[in-house]
Amino acid sequence: MSDDEARPADTRRLPTLDKTEDTTDPADGAARTGPDETATDTGDDGRDGRFWSARRVPAAVVALLLLAAAGLLLYDVAAVRAHHSSMVWRRRLAHELATRPLDSPWVLGAAALAVVLGSWLFVLAVTPGLRQVLPMRRSVPDVRAGLDRAAAALVLRDRAMEVAGVQSVRMKVGRRKAKARAVSHFRELDEVRGDLDVSLGEGLRQLGLARRLRLTVRVRRPKKG
């Protein structure tokens, strides 16, 4: 009789643990993970595009205008089919289109207005919009985050005010540049400018933006009087 046959029926052989699956560190008792790839990402590639606006107001305006024009035209066609006279505006429009020359100021003005409206709609269709939102670096797949430009300017301004010698700061954050105009009431201007370059540069890196903004710093003395 073998050992397996002598073992009771209600007992089972326990599975053995593979040593390669043990990821706990005996020193701290926590599971070891891979290196943090996002910690070394500098965010200089700028591959994340801007956020697209829903364009609700232009879309609603165009839809209402088209609905009104189509409804009015359909009503007039139905009235003519029912042996009623067409509306005055339709007869006037047909007469003007048949008799007015193409070089008439009214025709040129209407054509220019149509070109402007068409160009405006085309620009809205091909541009993302939301210029006030700066795309941030992705740390999690399929998750996007954005930072408002005003909020970014406020964070950088508070950071600049911590530099010794800075009396006031005007911070402006654009889509590609960040401009700081500081007023220093003591210390050398070159020293204050150097400290602001270091502090604001570190602040821009910590914002985690997808595109690194170019930094411009100007320092001057307060006006007398």
Side-chain angles (χ1 to χ4, degrees), residues 108-159:
L108 296 178
L113 180 61
V115 170
V116 171
L117 291 178
S119 301
W120 177 60
L121 294 176
F122 179 78
V123 171
L124 291 180
V126 300
T127 55
L130 294 181
R131 300 172 62 89
Q132 296 297 324
V133 180
L134 298 174
M136 301 182 66
R137 183 173 60 245
R138 292 193 183 189
S139 57
V140 179
D142 301 329
V143 176
R144 295 192 63 191
L147 180 63
D148 189 77
R149 285 162 52 180
L154 182 60
V155 172
L156 295 176
R157 176 188 175 277
D158 293 342
R159 192 178 185 91

mmCIF file of all heavy atoms in Angstrom, residues 108-159:
data_model
loop_
_atom_site.group_PDB
_atom_site.id
_atom_site.type_symbol
_atom_site.label_atom_id
_atom_site.label_comp_id
_atom_site.label_asym_id
_atom_site.label_seq_id
_atom_site.Cartn_x
_atom_site.Cartn_y
_atom_site.Cartn_z
ATOM 1 N N LEU A 108 -23.048 91.314 -53.279
ATOM 2 C CA LEU A 108 -21.683 91.173 -52.760
ATOM 3 C C LEU A 108 -21.671 91.153 -51.231
ATOM 4 O O LEU A 108 -20.910 90.396 -50.618
ATOM 5 C CB LEU A 108 -20.820 92.331 -53.280
ATOM 6 C CG LEU A 108 -20.607 92.373 -54.805
ATOM 7 C CD1 LEU A 108 -19.778 93.588 -55.189
ATOM 8 C CD2 LEU A 108 -19.949 91.093 -55.301
ATOM 9 N N GLY A 109 -22.518 91.975 -50.614
ATOM 10 C CA GLY A 109 -22.584 91.975 -49.148
ATOM 11 C C GLY A 109 -23.108 90.661 -48.596
ATOM 12 O O GLY A 109 -22.595 90.137 -47.598
ATOM 13 N N ALA A 110 -24.152 90.116 -49.238
ATOM 14 C CA ALA A 110 -24.685 88.826 -48.794
ATOM 15 C C ALA A 110 -23.672 87.707 -48.990
ATOM 16 O O ALA A 110 -23.526 86.818 -48.132
ATOM 17 C CB ALA A 110 -25.978 88.514 -49.539
ATOM 18 N N ALA A 111 -22.933 87.757 -50.096
ATOM 19 C CA ALA A 111 -21.903 86.738 -50.324
ATOM 20 C C ALA A 111 -20.786 86.846 -49.304
ATOM 21 O O ALA A 111 -20.281 85.831 -48.797
ATOM 22 C CB ALA A 111 -21.354 86.871 -51.750
ATOM 23 N N ALA A 112 -20.374 88.078 -48.986
ATOM 24 C CA ALA A 112 -19.326 88.263 -47.978
ATOM 25 C C ALA A 112 -19.788 87.779 -46.605
ATOM 26 O O ALA A 112 -19.017 87.145 -45.861
ATOM 27 C CB ALA A 112 -18.929 89.736 -47.912
ATOM 28 N N LEU A 113 -21.053 88.055 -46.261
ATOM 29 C CA LEU A 113 -21.581 87.574 -44.982
ATOM 30 C C LEU A 113 -21.616 86.053 -44.931
ATOM 31 O O LEU A 113 -21.285 85.439 -43.899
ATOM 32 C CB LEU A 113 -22.975 88.149 -44.765
ATOM 33 C CG LEU A 113 -23.681 87.746 -43.469
ATOM 34 C CD1 LEU A 113 -22.887 88.211 -42.264
ATOM 35 C CD2 LEU A 113 -25.106 88.312 -43.436
ATOM 36 N N ALA A 114 -22.001 85.431 -46.044
ATOM 37 C CA ALA A 114 -22.017 83.968 -46.084
ATOM 38 C C ALA A 114 -20.613 83.394 -45.947
ATOM 39 O O ALA A 114 -20.408 82.380 -45.271
ATOM 40 C CB ALA A 114 -22.663 83.500 -47.393
ATOM 41 N N VAL A 115 -19.622 84.053 -46.566
ATOM 42 C CA VAL A 115 -18.233 83.583 -46.454
ATOM 43 C C VAL A 115 -17.739 83.704 -45.014
ATOM 44 O O VAL A 115 -17.073 82.806 -44.482
ATOM 45 C CB VAL A 115 -17.336 84.368 -47.420
ATOM 46 C CG1 VAL A 115 -15.865 84.070 -47.140
ATOM 47 C CG2 VAL A 115 -17.673 84.001 -48.861
ATOM 48 N N VAL A 116 -18.064 84.825 -44.359
ATOM 49 C CA VAL A 116 -17.622 85.028 -42.975
ATOM 50 C C VAL A 116 -18.251 83.997 -42.047
ATOM 51 O O VAL A 116 -17.567 83.387 -41.200
ATOM 52 C CB VAL A 116 -17.957 86.460 -42.522
ATOM 53 C CG1 VAL A 116 -17.702 86.615 -41.021
ATOM 54 C CG2 VAL A 116 -17.113 87.470 -43.287
ATOM 55 N N LEU A 117 -19.557 83.780 -42.199
ATOM 56 C CA LEU A 117 -20.224 82.791 -41.354
ATOM 57 C C LEU A 117 -19.703 81.379 -41.618
ATOM 58 O O LEU A 117 -19.492 80.594 -40.683
ATOM 59 C CB LEU A 117 -21.735 82.839 -41.584
ATOM 60 C CG LEU A 117 -22.449 84.099 -41.084
ATOM 61 C CD1 LEU A 117 -23.936 84.037 -41.434
ATOM 62 C CD2 LEU A 117 -22.257 84.270 -39.591
ATOM 63 N N GLY A 118 -19.472 81.045 -42.885
ATOM 64 C CA GLY A 118 -18.931 79.727 -43.198
ATOM 65 C C GLY A 118 -17.533 79.532 -42.652
ATOM 66 O O GLY A 118 -17.195 78.458 -42.132
ATOM 67 N N SER A 119 -16.698 80.586 -42.758
ATOM 68 C CA SER A 119 -15.335 80.498 -42.204
ATOM 69 C C SER A 119 -15.369 80.346 -40.694
ATOM 70 O O SER A 119 -14.573 79.586 -40.112
ATOM 71 C CB SER A 119 -14.534 81.739 -42.602
ATOM 72 O OG SER A 119 -14.466 81.879 -44.012
ATOM 73 N N TRP A 120 -16.285 81.076 -40.049
ATOM 74 C CA TRP A 120 -16.407 80.970 -38.592
ATOM 75 C C TRP A 120 -16.812 79.565 -38.171
ATOM 76 O O TRP A 120 -16.234 78.990 -37.237
ATOM 77 C CB TRP A 120 -17.425 81.993 -38.103
ATOM 78 C CG TRP A 120 -17.699 81.928 -36.631
ATOM 79 C CD1 TRP A 120 -16.813 82.101 -35.620
ATOM 80 C CD2 TRP A 120 -18.961 81.653 -36.010
ATOM 81 N NE1 TRP A 120 -17.432 81.960 -34.401
ATOM 82 C CE2 TRP A 120 -18.745 81.690 -34.615
ATOM 83 C CE3 TRP A 120 -20.230 81.403 -36.499
ATOM 84 C CZ2 TRP A 120 -19.777 81.474 -33.714
ATOM 85 C CZ3 TRP A 120 -21.260 81.193 -35.593
ATOM 86 C CH2 TRP A 120 -21.032 81.233 -34.219
ATOM 87 N N LEU A 121 -17.785 78.984 -38.851
ATOM 88 C CA LEU A 121 -18.198 77.622 -38.534
ATOM 89 C C LEU A 121 -17.093 76.615 -38.826
ATOM 90 O O LEU A 121 -16.918 75.632 -38.083
ATOM 91 C CB LEU A 121 -19.461 77.270 -39.325
ATOM 92 C CG LEU A 121 -20.725 78.049 -38.974
ATOM 93 C CD1 LEU A 121 -21.867 77.653 -39.894
ATOM 94 C CD2 LEU A 121 -21.115 77.821 -37.519
ATOM 95 N N PHE A 122 -16.330 76.847 -39.886
ATOM 96 C CA PHE A 122 -15.230 75.930 -40.205
ATOM 97 C C PHE A 122 -14.139 75.992 -39.145
ATOM 98 O O PHE A 122 -13.596 74.955 -38.737
ATOM 99 C CB PHE A 122 -14.646 76.281 -41.580
ATOM 100 C CG PHE A 122 -13.497 75.416 -41.983
ATOM 101 C CD1 PHE A 122 -13.705 74.123 -42.464
ATOM 102 C CD2 PHE A 122 -12.194 75.876 -41.886
ATOM 103 C CE1 PHE A 122 -12.645 73.324 -42.832
ATOM 104 C CE2 PHE A 122 -11.122 75.085 -42.254
ATOM 105 C CZ PHE A 122 -11.353 73.806 -42.727
ATOM 106 N N VAL A 123 -13.820 77.197 -38.700
ATOM 107 C CA VAL A 123 -12.804 77.333 -37.639
ATOM 108 C C VAL A 123 -13.263 76.662 -36.360
ATOM 109 O O VAL A 123 -12.488 75.985 -35.668
ATOM 110 C CB VAL A 123 -12.491 78.822 -37.409
ATOM 111 C CG1 VAL A 123 -11.621 79.004 -36.168
ATOM 112 C CG2 VAL A 123 -11.771 79.411 -38.618
ATOM 113 N N LEU A 124 -14.539 76.819 -36.021
ATOM 114 C CA LEU A 124 -15.068 76.159 -34.826
ATOM 115 C C LEU A 124 -15.032 74.643 -34.956
ATOM 116 O O LEU A 124 -14.882 73.928 -33.961
ATOM 117 C CB LEU A 124 -16.504 76.611 -34.567
ATOM 118 C CG LEU A 124 -16.703 78.063 -34.121
ATOM 119 C CD1 LEU A 124 -18.180 78.353 -33.909
ATOM 120 C CD2 LEU A 124 -15.914 78.369 -32.863
ATOM 121 N N ALA A 125 -15.164 74.146 -36.180
ATOM 122 C CA ALA A 125 -15.191 72.692 -36.375
ATOM 123 C C ALA A 125 -13.804 72.066 -36.293
ATOM 124 O O ALA A 125 -13.678 70.920 -35.862
ATOM 125 C CB ALA A 125 -15.832 72.361 -37.725
ATOM 126 N N VAL A 126 -12.764 72.782 -36.702
ATOM 127 C CA VAL A 126 -11.427 72.176 -36.782
ATOM 128 C C VAL A 126 -10.516 72.583 -35.632
ATOM 129 O O VAL A 126 -9.411 72.042 -35.511
ATOM 130 C CB VAL A 126 -10.752 72.537 -38.123
ATOM 131 C CG1 VAL A 126 -11.568 72.023 -39.290
ATOM 132 C CG2 VAL A 126 -10.535 74.046 -38.244
ATOM 133 N N THR A 127 -10.925 73.514 -34.778
ATOM 134 C CA THR A 127 -10.093 73.919 -33.645
ATOM 135 C C THR A 127 -10.668 73.351 -32.352
ATOM 136 O O THR A 127 -11.886 73.235 -32.203
ATOM 137 C CB THR A 127 -10.015 75.445 -33.537
ATOM 138 O OG1 THR A 127 -11.345 75.994 -33.479
ATOM 139 C CG2 THR A 127 -9.300 76.029 -34.753
ATOM 140 N N PRO A 128 -9.805 73.002 -31.393
ATOM 141 C CA PRO A 128 -10.303 72.356 -30.168
ATOM 142 C C PRO A 128 -11.011 73.285 -29.212
ATOM 143 O O PRO A 128 -11.938 72.880 -28.514
ATOM 144 C CB PRO A 128 -9.024 71.776 -29.547
ATOM 145 C CG PRO A 128 -7.930 72.618 -30.077
ATOM 146 C CD PRO A 128 -8.330 73.045 -31.455
ATOM 147 N N GLY A 129 -10.572 74.546 -29.129
ATOM 148 C CA GLY A 129 -11.182 75.433 -28.145
ATOM 149 C C GLY A 129 -10.616 75.196 -26.758
ATOM 150 O O GLY A 129 -9.560 74.575 -26.579
ATOM 151 N N LEU A 130 -11.330 75.674 -25.743
ATOM 152 C CA LEU A 130 -10.901 75.550 -24.336
ATOM 153 C C LEU A 130 -9.456 76.011 -24.165
ATOM 154 O O LEU A 130 -8.593 75.284 -23.661
ATOM 155 C CB LEU A 130 -11.071 74.114 -23.844
ATOM 156 C CG LEU A 130 -12.499 73.596 -23.744
ATOM 157 C CD1 LEU A 130 -12.525 72.168 -23.230
ATOM 158 C CD2 LEU A 130 -13.339 74.478 -22.826
ATOM 159 N N ARG A 131 -9.184 77.240 -24.577
ATOM 160 C CA ARG A 131 -7.833 77.784 -24.505
ATOM 161 C C ARG A 131 -7.377 78.004 -23.071
ATOM 162 O O ARG A 131 -6.179 78.127 -22.813
ATOM 163 C CB ARG A 131 -7.772 79.098 -25.282
ATOM 164 C CG ARG A 131 -8.123 78.976 -26.758
ATOM 165 C CD ARG A 131 -8.222 80.336 -27.404
ATOM 166 N NE ARG A 131 -6.965 81.047 -27.345
ATOM 167 C CZ ARG A 131 -6.015 80.970 -28.260
ATOM 168 N NH1 ARG A 131 -6.183 80.191 -29.313
ATOM 169 N NH2 ARG A 131 -4.903 81.659 -28.146
ATOM 170 N N GLN A 132 -8.315 78.082 -22.129
ATOM 171 C CA GLN A 132 -7.944 78.345 -20.744
ATOM 172 C C GLN A 132 -7.507 77.094 -19.987
ATOM 173 O O GLN A 132 -7.092 77.194 -18.840
ATOM 174 C CB GLN A 132 -9.126 78.993 -20.013
ATOM 175 C CG GLN A 132 -9.508 80.357 -20.548
ATOM 176 C CD GLN A 132 -8.397 81.377 -20.391
ATOM 177 O OE1 GLN A 132 -7.665 81.367 -19.396
ATOM 178 N NE2 GLN A 132 -8.266 82.265 -21.356
ATOM 179 N N VAL A 133 -7.616 75.925 -20.616
ATOM 180 C CA VAL A 133 -7.269 74.669 -19.946
ATOM 181 C C VAL A 133 -5.979 74.128 -20.549
ATOM 182 O O VAL A 133 -5.891 73.907 -21.755
ATOM 183 C CB VAL A 133 -8.396 73.629 -20.078
ATOM 184 C CG1 VAL A 133 -8.005 72.323 -19.377
ATOM 185 C CG2 VAL A 133 -9.686 74.186 -19.492
ATOM 186 N N LEU A 134 -4.972 73.909 -19.713
ATOM 187 C CA LEU A 134 -3.697 73.354 -20.142
ATOM 188 C C LEU A 134 -3.702 71.845 -19.897
ATOM 189 O O LEU A 134 -3.976 71.400 -18.768
ATOM 190 C CB LEU A 134 -2.545 73.996 -19.361
ATOM 191 C CG LEU A 134 -2.367 75.503 -19.531
ATOM 192 C CD1 LEU A 134 -1.288 76.017 -18.585
ATOM 193 C CD2 LEU A 134 -2.028 75.856 -20.963
ATOM 194 N N PRO A 135 -3.438 71.034 -20.912
ATOM 195 C CA PRO A 135 -3.406 69.581 -20.694
ATOM 196 C C PRO A 135 -2.228 69.187 -19.809
ATOM 197 O O PRO A 135 -1.124 69.702 -19.953
ATOM 198 C CB PRO A 135 -3.263 69.006 -22.111
ATOM 199 C CG PRO A 135 -2.659 70.118 -22.916
ATOM 200 C CD PRO A 135 -3.169 71.391 -22.320
ATOM 201 N N MET A 136 -2.475 68.243 -18.914
ATOM 202 C CA MET A 136 -1.454 67.778 -17.989
ATOM 203 C C MET A 136 -0.889 66.448 -18.458
ATOM 204 O O MET A 136 -1.463 65.765 -19.307
ATOM 205 C CB MET A 136 -2.036 67.646 -16.575
ATOM 206 C CG MET A 136 -2.601 68.936 -16.018
ATOM 207 S SD MET A 136 -3.234 68.765 -14.337
ATOM 208 C CE MET A 136 -1.715 68.426 -13.450
ATOM 209 N N ARG A 137 0.254 66.099 -17.912
ATOM 210 C CA ARG A 137 0.921 64.858 -18.278
ATOM 211 C C ARG A 137 0.103 63.670 -17.791
ATOM 212 O O ARG A 137 -0.442 63.674 -16.691
ATOM 213 C CB ARG A 137 2.326 64.829 -17.660
ATOM 214 C CG ARG A 137 3.148 63.618 -18.021
ATOM 215 C CD ARG A 137 4.574 63.768 -17.503
ATOM 216 N NE ARG A 137 4.612 63.911 -16.059
ATOM 217 C CZ ARG A 137 5.020 65.005 -15.424
ATOM 218 N NH1 ARG A 137 5.393 66.064 -16.105
ATOM 219 N NH2 ARG A 137 5.042 65.072 -14.107
ATOM 220 N N ARG A 138 0.025 62.640 -18.626
ATOM 221 C CA ARG A 138 -0.736 61.437 -18.277
ATOM 222 C C ARG A 138 0.115 60.530 -17.394
ATOM 223 O O ARG A 138 1.213 60.146 -17.756
ATOM 224 C CB ARG A 138 -1.144 60.677 -19.529
ATOM 225 C CG ARG A 138 -2.178 61.401 -20.391
ATOM 226 C CD ARG A 138 -2.760 60.485 -21.424
ATOM 227 N NE ARG A 138 -3.701 61.169 -22.307
ATOM 228 C CZ ARG A 138 -4.474 60.547 -23.176
ATOM 229 N NH1 ARG A 138 -4.411 59.235 -23.292
ATOM 230 N NH2 ARG A 138 -5.295 61.233 -23.949
ATOM 231 N N SER A 139 -0.443 60.187 -16.249
ATOM 232 C CA SER A 139 0.196 59.211 -15.370
ATOM 233 C C SER A 139 -0.572 57.899 -15.327
ATOM 234 O O SER A 139 -0.029 56.881 -14.915
ATOM 235 C CB SER A 139 0.320 59.774 -13.949
ATOM 236 O OG SER A 139 -0.958 60.137 -13.448
ATOM 237 N N VAL A 140 -1.844 57.932 -15.758
ATOM 238 C CA VAL A 140 -2.691 56.740 -15.804
ATOM 239 C C VAL A 140 -3.261 56.641 -17.212
ATOM 240 O O VAL A 140 -3.758 57.643 -17.745
ATOM 241 C CB VAL A 140 -3.831 56.812 -14.760
ATOM 242 C CG1 VAL A 140 -4.716 55.577 -14.854
ATOM 243 C CG2 VAL A 140 -3.269 56.953 -13.364
ATOM 244 N N PRO A 141 -3.190 55.484 -17.850
ATOM 245 C CA PRO A 141 -3.752 55.364 -19.203
ATOM 246 C C PRO A 141 -5.249 55.665 -19.218
ATOM 247 O O PRO A 141 -5.981 55.381 -18.268
ATOM 248 C CB PRO A 141 -3.466 53.895 -19.574
ATOM 249 C CG PRO A 141 -2.329 53.495 -18.685
ATOM 250 C CD PRO A 141 -2.508 54.252 -17.408
ATOM 251 N N ASP A 142 -5.701 56.259 -20.322
ATOM 252 C CA ASP A 142 -7.110 56.568 -20.565
ATOM 253 C C ASP A 142 -7.687 57.566 -19.578
ATOM 254 O O ASP A 142 -8.915 57.700 -19.460
ATOM 255 C CB ASP A 142 -7.973 55.292 -20.545
ATOM 256 C CG ASP A 142 -7.520 54.283 -21.590
ATOM 257 O OD1 ASP A 142 -7.010 54.725 -22.644
ATOM 258 O OD2 ASP A 142 -7.671 53.072 -21.358
ATOM 259 N N VAL A 143 -6.845 58.284 -18.857
ATOM 260 C CA VAL A 143 -7.307 59.318 -17.936
ATOM 261 C C VAL A 143 -6.556 60.609 -18.266
ATOM 262 O O VAL A 143 -5.332 60.633 -18.264
ATOM 263 C CB VAL A 143 -7.061 58.934 -16.460
ATOM 264 C CG1 VAL A 143 -7.456 60.087 -15.541
ATOM 265 C CG2 VAL A 143 -7.855 57.689 -16.103
ATOM 266 N N ARG A 144 -7.311 61.660 -18.569
ATOM 267 C CA ARG A 144 -6.725 62.946 -18.908
ATOM 268 C C ARG A 144 -7.106 63.974 -17.859
ATOM 269 O O ARG A 144 -8.219 63.962 -17.325
ATOM 270 C CB ARG A 144 -7.181 63.419 -20.280
ATOM 271 C CG ARG A 144 -6.720 62.554 -21.434
ATOM 272 C CD ARG A 144 -6.957 63.258 -22.749
ATOM 273 N NE ARG A 144 -6.177 64.484 -22.825
ATOM 274 C CZ ARG A 144 -6.345 65.406 -23.772
ATOM 275 N NH1 ARG A 144 -7.290 65.248 -24.685
ATOM 276 N NH2 ARG A 144 -5.591 66.489 -23.792
ATOM 277 N N ALA A 145 -6.192 64.879 -17.602
ATOM 278 C CA ALA A 145 -6.429 65.942 -16.637
ATOM 279 C C ALA A 145 -5.978 67.260 -17.243
ATOM 280 O O ALA A 145 -5.095 67.302 -18.105
ATOM 281 C CB ALA A 145 -5.686 65.673 -15.325
ATOM 282 N N GLY A 146 -6.610 68.328 -16.806
ATOM 283 C CA GLY A 146 -6.278 69.657 -17.282
ATOM 284 C C GLY A 146 -6.180 70.631 -16.129
ATOM 285 O O GLY A 146 -6.798 70.436 -15.077
ATOM 286 N N LEU A 147 -5.404 71.686 -16.343
ATOM 287 C CA LEU A 147 -5.195 72.706 -15.313
ATOM 288 C C LEU A 147 -5.558 74.055 -15.906
ATOM 289 O O LEU A 147 -5.089 74.417 -16.985
ATOM 290 C CB LEU A 147 -3.741 72.705 -14.845
ATOM 291 C CG LEU A 147 -3.365 73.724 -13.752
ATOM 292 C CD1 LEU A 147 -4.141 73.432 -12.470
ATOM 293 C CD2 LEU A 147 -1.871 73.696 -13.487
ATOM 294 N N ASP A 148 -6.398 74.790 -15.188
ATOM 295 C CA ASP A 148 -6.797 76.107 -15.656
ATOM 296 C C ASP A 148 -5.608 77.057 -15.608
ATOM 297 O O ASP A 148 -4.800 77.031 -14.674
ATOM 298 C CB ASP A 148 -7.934 76.637 -14.789
ATOM 299 C CG ASP A 148 -8.539 77.897 -15.365
ATOM 300 O OD1 ASP A 148 -9.314 77.806 -16.326
ATOM 301 O OD2 ASP A 148 -8.218 78.993 -14.846
ATOM 302 N N ARG A 149 -5.498 77.903 -16.622
ATOM 303 C CA ARG A 149 -4.360 78.808 -16.699
ATOM 304 C C ARG A 149 -4.342 79.802 -15.550
ATOM 305 O O ARG A 149 -3.278 80.159 -15.037
ATOM 306 C CB ARG A 149 -4.382 79.533 -18.041
ATOM 307 C CG ARG A 149 -3.939 78.665 -19.199
ATOM 308 C CD ARG A 149 -4.364 79.201 -20.542
ATOM 309 N NE ARG A 149 -3.992 80.586 -20.745
ATOM 310 C CZ ARG A 149 -4.257 81.278 -21.857
ATOM 311 N NH1 ARG A 149 -4.887 80.676 -22.865
ATOM 312 N NH2 ARG A 149 -3.895 82.530 -21.977
ATOM 313 N N ALA A 150 -5.513 80.248 -15.122
ATOM 314 C CA ALA A 150 -5.571 81.175 -13.988
ATOM 315 C C ALA A 150 -5.094 80.504 -12.703
ATOM 316 O O ALA A 150 -4.389 81.123 -11.891
ATOM 317 C CB ALA A 150 -6.992 81.708 -13.823
ATOM 318 N N ALA A 151 -5.467 79.233 -12.525
ATOM 319 C CA ALA A 151 -5.001 78.506 -11.339
ATOM 320 C C ALA A 151 -3.492 78.292 -11.383
ATOM 321 O O ALA A 151 -2.802 78.407 -10.361
ATOM 322 C CB ALA A 151 -5.729 77.166 -11.233
ATOM 323 N N ALA A 152 -2.952 77.972 -12.550
ATOM 324 C CA ALA A 152 -1.513 77.806 -12.681
ATOM 325 C C ALA A 152 -0.783 79.109 -12.387
ATOM 326 O O ALA A 152 0.260 79.122 -11.715
ATOM 327 C CB ALA A 152 -1.169 77.305 -14.077
ATOM 328 N N ALA A 153 -1.316 80.229 -12.871
ATOM 329 C CA ALA A 153 -0.702 81.524 -12.593
ATOM 330 C C ALA A 153 -0.732 81.849 -11.105
ATOM 331 O O ALA A 153 0.224 82.413 -10.560
ATOM 332 C CB ALA A 153 -1.409 82.613 -13.396
ATOM 333 N N LEU A 154 -1.821 81.488 -10.432
ATOM 334 C CA LEU A 154 -1.917 81.749 -8.990
ATOM 335 C C LEU A 154 -0.905 80.923 -8.204
ATOM 336 O O LEU A 154 -0.260 81.418 -7.269
ATOM 337 C CB LEU A 154 -3.339 81.446 -8.512
ATOM 338 C CG LEU A 154 -3.638 81.714 -7.034
ATOM 339 C CD1 LEU A 154 -3.411 83.178 -6.701
ATOM 340 C CD2 LEU A 154 -5.062 81.296 -6.693
ATOM 341 N N VAL A 155 -0.731 79.662 -8.587
ATOM 342 C CA VAL A 155 0.258 78.817 -7.905
ATOM 343 C C VAL A 155 1.665 79.351 -8.109
ATOM 344 O O VAL A 155 2.457 79.436 -7.164
ATOM 345 C CB VAL A 155 0.134 77.367 -8.420
ATOM 346 C CG1 VAL A 155 1.275 76.511 -7.890
ATOM 347 C CG2 VAL A 155 -1.199 76.768 -8.007
ATOM 348 N N LEU A 156 1.990 79.745 -9.318
ATOM 349 C CA LEU A 156 3.325 80.278 -9.588
ATOM 350 C C LEU A 156 3.533 81.627 -8.906
ATOM 351 O O LEU A 156 4.645 81.929 -8.449
ATOM 352 C CB LEU A 156 3.534 80.408 -11.092
ATOM 353 C CG LEU A 156 3.547 79.091 -11.875
ATOM 354 C CD1 LEU A 156 3.661 79.364 -13.369
ATOM 355 C CD2 LEU A 156 4.702 78.193 -11.420
ATOM 356 N N ARG A 157 2.499 82.431 -8.821
ATOM 357 C CA ARG A 157 2.636 83.719 -8.131
ATOM 358 C C ARG A 157 2.930 83.515 -6.648
ATOM 359 O O ARG A 157 3.786 84.201 -6.069
ATOM 360 C CB ARG A 157 1.358 84.527 -8.309
ATOM 361 C CG ARG A 157 1.369 85.845 -7.552
ATOM 362 C CD ARG A 157 0.011 86.533 -7.603
ATOM 363 N NE ARG A 157 0.003 87.729 -6.776
ATOM 364 C CZ ARG A 157 -0.208 87.736 -5.463
ATOM 365 N NH1 ARG A 157 -0.436 86.575 -4.835
ATOM 366 N NH2 ARG A 157 -0.191 88.863 -4.774
ATOM 367 N N ASP A 158 2.205 82.594 -6.000
ATOM 368 C CA ASP A 158 2.479 82.324 -4.594
ATOM 369 C C ASP A 158 3.897 81.801 -4.391
ATOM 370 O O ASP A 158 4.545 82.119 -3.385
ATOM 371 C CB ASP A 158 1.468 81.311 -4.057
ATOM 372 C CG ASP A 158 0.053 81.876 -4.017
ATOM 373 O OD1 ASP A 158 -0.091 83.119 -4.066
ATOM 374 O OD2 ASP A 158 -0.907 81.081 -3.962
ATOM 375 N N ARG A 159 4.372 81.036 -5.334
ATOM 376 C CA ARG A 159 5.736 80.516 -5.233
ATOM 377 C C ARG A 159 6.754 81.628 -5.415
ATOM 378 O O ARG A 159 7.790 81.653 -4.740
ATOM 379 C CB ARG A 159 5.947 79.418 -6.272
ATOM 380 C CG ARG A 159 7.208 78.616 -6.077
ATOM 381 C CD ARG A 159 7.336 77.521 -7.114
ATOM 382 N NE ARG A 159 8.499 76.679 -6.854
ATOM 383 C CZ ARG A 159 8.485 75.578 -6.121
ATOM 384 N NH1 ARG A 159 7.343 75.175 -5.591
ATOM 385 N NH2 ARG A 159 9.583 74.881 -5.917
#
